[in-house]
């Protein structure tokens, strides 16, 4: 064992520390969600309640019609869920290092495992919720293309990789700059409205369209809609670019994390 | 020659403190190499151990460890209070880098070593500190690391468990393990370690054979706990004598300062007597912390100090072979009234006894082992490798 900064590939870190990852993952899942009945319910009820509120506000009050020819409910659900999943993974992951301060101060272990376990627990649970909502919507007669999951699952993975990179960077910075956790909430809120989740890109005025279209998350939800609402499965070059971008975000985020993690002990 | 298992070069750690006075604490360690047990004590030791364990990153210097490090740094570190003992074995094993298979294979022996009965299924938060240490040590034993770092683990836990731990450590050492053992117990250090590192105010005060370092450490603390020379309120002995007190005029020991074990010591002195009668002189030997070792007065031996002038009496006493063990002591002179009832004045002189004796206590007591076979293994283990 050498305490040097020689980079070890993520896969090797996870392979070597799989028992630790499994332990953190279970702890995350059980203590945060499954530990209490309300916790588990909340994990599903929160997005459902939001969906119901948006439905009320936009279709009942503002009388918005179908979006891109799809019912508003289905149109929003397909995109809202991944957003909320990413948002929650980011928020929980950002404070995960601080939450394990006791361990970090006393035990030597690869700190990144904590972040991976936190993100994995959130995303796995939210993906299950996503599937459940799609099934429920289908049961209510909404035209869900389940074969679209063949593309949707890789898209979720692309999202997870990028989210992991962002979270690694934020979690590391959070140790030194405590405000990040508090800034994150409003920033994510603003970003959600700037992302074509509650509206289609086609409704955005021409002049602003390139700006909104440049949002990588917007691209992702657009592709999810292609797959699950229209059943269009053919991968595009855009998907390859998205994949490359998400890998790059991950690499950059991890680089920042590994540069900062040796100094966590002083500050957590 | 094989690369050192553990090598620290000029390792330093700065802590930014809020108060400006103690703005920086610095720890510098120039090269610590070792195989076999090494001990660390003093201020800055926990930082040092954490650096070796890889928990904290030194501000400067390099740390190289050629092997697997297991660390028992603090009571219950790595344990989750809400988890049961069994779940914590899984967690702690994972933190120590064991694979799920290794943890499964070792769980039973860990439970057996901890020996806390059905409590193993209770949450750790209901454990006594002794039980937490048992479990922590049990997990560390399962790892069989190349270097095991322990910080004061033997300070908690009952006698029988301590014995079990020491027995395990000795077996581990004889199997070629290396122990970085942190303790203030000179007994444990001398029993388990062949080299010791004394860290004082974040710096290396001394590094060397365990016995030498322990002696220096004890002497330092004994000296620190006793400083004054004249122990009574008397400022001017002549004036005190005029006012009706028996007071010390002069007190010398030869050779003064530092003497080897079993050497001769002569103490001489003079005292004022306000009424011309011979006072009783008492000579005492105390360890530097004030523990009495021996005391003898003129009236006990039916002698009296010699009159040198109207109001002065002198004495001389010889100890032909002082049986004090190496350490720091004070030789005290007391002046009492001629009846030997009331003590008037006390003066002390420091005395350092040097030597290589590893016995415990204050003085050497004559002894002879009736079962006499030289133990060769002990000799080899106490050899310091640097």
């Amino acid at each position: 064992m050498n305490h040097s900064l020689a980079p070890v590939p993520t896969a090797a870190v996870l392979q070597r520390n799989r028992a630790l990852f499994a332990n953190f993952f279970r702890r995350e899942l059980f203590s945060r969600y499954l530990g209490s009945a309300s916790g588990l319910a909340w994990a599903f009820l929160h997005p459902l309640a939001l969906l119901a509120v948006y439905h009320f506000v936009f279709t009942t009050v503002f009388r918005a019609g179908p979006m891109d020819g799809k019912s508003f409910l289905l149109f929003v659900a397909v995109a809202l869920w991944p957003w909320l999943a990413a948002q929650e993974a980011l928020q929980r992951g950002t404070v995960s290092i601080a939450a394990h301060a006791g361990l970090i101060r006393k035990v030597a272990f690869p700190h990144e495992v904590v972040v991976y376990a936190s993100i994995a627990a959130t995303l796995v649970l939210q993906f299950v919720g996503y599937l459940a909502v799609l099934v429920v919507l289908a049961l209510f007669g909404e035209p869900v293309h389940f074969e679209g999951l063949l593309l949707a699952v890789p898209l979720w993975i692309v999202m997870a990789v990028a989210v992991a990179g962002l979270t690694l960077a934020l979690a590391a910075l959070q140790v030194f700059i405590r405000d990040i956790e508090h800034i994150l909430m409003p920033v994510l809120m603003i970003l959600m409205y700037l992302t074509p989740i509650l509206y289609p890109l086609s409704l955005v005025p021409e002049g602003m369209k390139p700006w909104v279209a440049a949002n990588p998350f917007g691209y992702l939800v657009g592709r999810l809609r292609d797959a699950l609402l229209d059943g269009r499965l053919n991968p595009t070059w855009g998907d390859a670019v998205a994949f490359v971008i998400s890998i790059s975000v991950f690499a950059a985020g991890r680089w920042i994390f590994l540069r900062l993690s040796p100094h966590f002990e002083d500050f957590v | 020659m094989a690369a050192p298992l553990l090598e620290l070069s000029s390792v330093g750690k700065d802590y930014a403190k809020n108060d400006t006075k103690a703005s920086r604490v610095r720890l510098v360690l120039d090269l610590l190499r070792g195989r076999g047990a090494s001990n660390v004590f003093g201020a800055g030791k926990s930082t040092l151990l954490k650096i070796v364990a890889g928990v904290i990153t030194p501000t400067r210097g390099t740390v190289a460890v050629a092997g697997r490090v297991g660390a028992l740094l603090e009571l219950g570190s790595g344990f989750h209070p809400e988890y049961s003992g069994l779940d914590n074995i899984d967690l702690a094993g994972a933190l120590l880098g064991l694979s799920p298979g290794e943890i499964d294979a070792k769980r039973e022996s860990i439970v057996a070593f901890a020996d806390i009965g059905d409590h193993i299924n209770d949450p750790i938060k209901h454990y006594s500190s002794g039980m937490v240490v048992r479990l922590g040590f049990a997990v560390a034993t399962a790892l069989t690391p190349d270097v095991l770092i322990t910080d004061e683990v033997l300070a908690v836990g009952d006698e029988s468990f301590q014995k079990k731990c020491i027995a395990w450590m000795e077996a581990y050492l004889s199997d070629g393990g290396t122990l970085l053992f942190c303790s203030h117990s000179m007994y444990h250090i001398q029993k388990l370690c062949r080299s010791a590192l004394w860290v004082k105010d974040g710096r290396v005060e001394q590094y060397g054979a365990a016995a030498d370092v322990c002696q220096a450490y004890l002497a330092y603390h004994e000296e620190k706990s006793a400083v004054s020379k004249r122990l009574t309120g008397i400022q001017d002995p002549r004036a005190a004598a005029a006012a009706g007190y028996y007071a010390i005029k002069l007190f010398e020991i030869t050779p003064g300062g530092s003497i080897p074990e079993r050497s001769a010591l002569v103490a001489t002195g003079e005292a004022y007597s306000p009424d011309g009668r011979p006072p009783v002189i008492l000579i005492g030997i105390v360890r530097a912390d004030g523990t009495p070792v021996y005391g003898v007065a003129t009236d006990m031996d039916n002698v009296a100090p010699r009159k040198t002038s109207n109001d002065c009496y002198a004495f001389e006493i010889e100890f032909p072979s002082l049986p004090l063990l190496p350490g720091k002591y004070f030789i005290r002179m007391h002046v009492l009234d001629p009846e030997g009832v009331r003590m008037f004045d006390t003066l002390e002189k420091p005395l350092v006894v040097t030597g290589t004796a590893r016995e415990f206590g204050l003085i050497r007591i004559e002894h002879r082992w009736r079962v006499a076979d030289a133990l060769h293994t002990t000799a080899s283990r106490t050899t310091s490798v640097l």
Side-chain angles (χ1 to χ4, degrees):
Chain A
M1 180 166 126
N2 204 329
H3 310 141
S4 71
L5 281 175
V8 180
T10 312
V13 170
L14 285 176
Q15 158 69 17
R16 207 177 297 159
N17 295 281
R18 58 195 188 280
L20 191 59
F21 176 84
N23 211 296
F24 285 148
F25 182 80
R26 267 204 310 275
R27 187 196 279 203
E28 196 79 12
L29 220 51
F30 280 86
S31 69
R32 280 200 167 152
Y33 300 106
L34 309 179
S36 59
S38 64
L40 181 59
W42 187 240
F44 290 98
L45 276 179
H46 175 228
L48 275 182
L50 266 184
L51 196 59
V53 167
Y54 290 140
H55 183 64
F56 168 75
V57 170
F58 289 96
T59 61
T60 312
V61 179
F62 290 141
R63 323 224 169 199
M67 299 284 169
D68 280 353
K70 303 291 178 306
S71 87
F72 181 81
L73 205 58
L74 184 60
F75 177 84
V76 171
V78 166
L80 181 65
W81 223 278
W83 173 268
L84 291 177
Q87 178 176 315
E88 193 176 325
L90 261 172
Q91 285 177 321
R92 298 211 150 169
T94 298
V95 295
S96 62
I97 290 297
H100 288 80
L103 278 186
I104 286 166
R105 272 198 293 265
K106 291 172 188 168
V107 187
F109 67 98
H111 301 147
E112 54 189 315
V113 176
V114 166
V115 181
Y116 296 145
S118 167
I119 295 168
T122 304
L123 290 184
V124 164
L125 202 75
Q126 292 296 343
F127 186 73
V128 171
Y130 191 54
L131 294 180
V133 164
L134 291 179
V135 168
V136 168
L137 286 174
L139 289 178
F140 277 96
E142 298 286 352
V144 180
H145 286 264
F146 279 100
E147 74 275 16
L149 285 173
L150 286 175
L151 183 61
V153 170
L155 286 171
W156 268 73
I157 291 171
V158 167
M159 176 184 86
V161 170
V163 164
L166 270 179
T167 311
L168 280 172
L170 289 177
L173 292 171
Q174 165 71 20
V175 173
F176 305 94
I177 310 164
R178 297 290 158 98
D179 293 343
I180 287 183
E181 172 192 359
H182 305 295
I183 298 166
L184 199 56
M185 185 70 186
V187 166
L188 285 172
M189 176 90 95
I190 290 163
L191 280 178
M192 188 184 107
Y193 287 107
L194 292 180
T195 306
I197 291 170
L198 298 171
Y199 50 87
L201 189 59
S202 56
L203 284 187
V204 177
E206 275 309 316
M208 297 160 85
K209 212 175 242 176
W211 297 101
V212 176
N215 181 341
F217 202 87
Y219 176 81
L220 220 57
V221 297
R223 294 294 291 147
L224 282 170
R225 281 175 179 144
D226 287 347
L228 293 164
L229 303 186
D230 300 326
R232 276 188 279 134
L233 287 176
N234 50 321
T236 63
W237 281 110
D239 297 346
V241 172
F243 181 70
V244 170
I245 289 176
S246 95
I247 292 281
S248 312
V249 168
F250 178 79
R254 186 164 183 258
W255 183 81
I256 292 172
F257 186 90
L258 292 183
R259 287 299 292 264
L260 295 177
S261 75
H263 308 290
F264 285 173
E265 192 272 340
D266 279 345
F267 293 91
V268 289
Chain B
M1 198 187 109
L5 188 58
L6 184 60
E7 185 166 350
L8 289 94
S9 309
S10 307
V11 167
K13 175 77 184 168
D14 293 339
Y15 283 107
K17 287 270 168 69
N18 286 334
D19 63 319
T20 45
K21 278 182 207 158
S23 58
R24 255 146 162 61
V25 179
R26 189 151 170 252
L27 175 81
V28 178
L29 179 63
D30 290 313
L31 219 62
L32 163 72
R33 300 158 185 262
R35 275 197 189 270
S38 204
N39 170 73
V40 178
F41 47 86
K45 63 186 162 53
S46 293
T47 303
L48 181 63
L49 294 188
K50 281 182 171 180
I51 287 174
V52 176
V55 177
I56 61 178
T57 313
T59 316
R60 72 191 74 78
T62 57
V63 181
V65 185
R68 179 142 83 163
V69 177
L72 265 177
L73 286 179
E74 272 166 62
L75 184 60
S77 62
F79 284 157
H80 191 287
E82 299 286 336
Y83 282 24
S84 73
L86 276 177
D87 289 343
N88 268 301
I89 290 176
D90 291 355
L91 173 64
L95 280 169
L96 287 168
L98 299 186
S99 72
E102 284 176 293
I103 295 172
D104 285 339
K106 284 170 173 171
R107 193 177 291 115
E108 223 168 278
S109 66
I110 293 173
V111 172
F113 194 97
D115 191 23
I116 54 172
D118 291 338
H119 293 295
I120 200 77
N121 296 310
D122 296 341
I124 293 265
K125 62 180 176 182
H126 297 316
Y127 282 25
S128 67
S129 58
M131 281 155 67
V132 175
V133 165
R134 279 164 170 263
L135 193 60
F137 196 84
V139 172
T141 61
L143 183 71
T144 53
D146 300 307
V147 183
L148 179 64
I149 301 172
T150 67
D151 193 350
E152 298 281 8
V153 282
L154 294 175
V156 234
D158 57 80
E159 195 85 4
S160 69
F161 189 72
Q162 285 195 13
K163 280 182 188 151
K164 201 166 161 183
C165 290
I166 290 177
W168 184 87
M169 285 181 187
E170 287 190 320
Y172 165 78
L173 288 172
S174 63
D175 288 347
T178 295
L179 191 64
L180 198 58
F181 175 79
C182 169
S183 173
H184 284 101
S185 158
M186 297 300 134
Y187 171 73
H188 287 138
I189 292 166
Q190 297 199 23
K191 190 162 168 54
L192 286 168
C193 303
R194 64 184 183 205
S195 59
L197 172 71
W198 172 11
V199 182
K200 187 176 141 202
D201 300 330
R203 285 172 182 278
V204 175
E205 179 73 16
Q206 197 177 347
Y207 177 61
D212 295 348
V213 179
C214 285
Q215 269 177 29
Y217 177 80
L218 286 174
Y220 167 79
H221 278 280
E222 284 165 3
E223 185 179 9
K224 223 174 79 170
S225 53
V227 279
S228 69
K229 296 184 87 183
R230 188 180 289 266
L231 305 178
T232 52
I234 292 173
Q235 303 285 329
D236 178 356
R238 185 179 288 275
Y245 290 92
Y246 294 88
I248 295 167
K249 181 184 176 190
L250 191 78
F251 179 46
E252 288 296 337
I253 54 171
T254 44
S258 175
I259 58 167
E261 319 170 61
R262 299 181 201 237
S263 49
L265 184 79
V266 174
T268 55
E270 248 183 292
Y272 290 109
S273 168
D275 52 10
R277 294 190 300 148
V280 167
I281 305 290
L282 181 101
I283 293 298
I285 301 173
V286 297
R287 196 169 65 183
D289 67 353
T291 307
V293 180
Y294 182 71
V296 64
T298 47
D299 64 341
M300 294 174 186
D301 290 342
N302 287 318
V303 296
R306 175 169 43 92
K307 190 166 187 166
T308 53
S309 68
N310 267 345
D311 59 350
C312 271
Y313 284 87
F315 76 95
E316 183 169 325
I317 183 169
E318 183 191 8
F319 298 95
S321 173
L322 212 56
L324 293 175
L325 288 174
K328 177 121 194 179
Y329 300 88
F330 286 108
I331 309 296
R332 283 186 183 163
M333 171 182 171
H334 307 275
V335 183
L336 291 80
D337 58 15
E339 290 73 36
V341 175
R342 192 175 158 205
M343 190 182 288
F344 281 88
D345 197 6
T346 301
L347 205 83
E348 69 179 17
K349 293 267 181 192
L351 176 74
V352 175
V353 178
T354 58
T356 54
R358 293 178 57 211
E359 294 127 282
F360 302 111
L362 302 172
I363 58 163
R364 173 170 297 105
I365 295 176
E366 286 307 320
H367 61 276
R368 186 163 60 245
W369 296 103
R370 289 285 174 82
V371 278
D373 261 345
L375 195 62
H376 297 293
T377 51
T378 308
S380 68
R381 225 190 64 199
T382 50
T383 313
S384 174
V385 176
L386 232 158

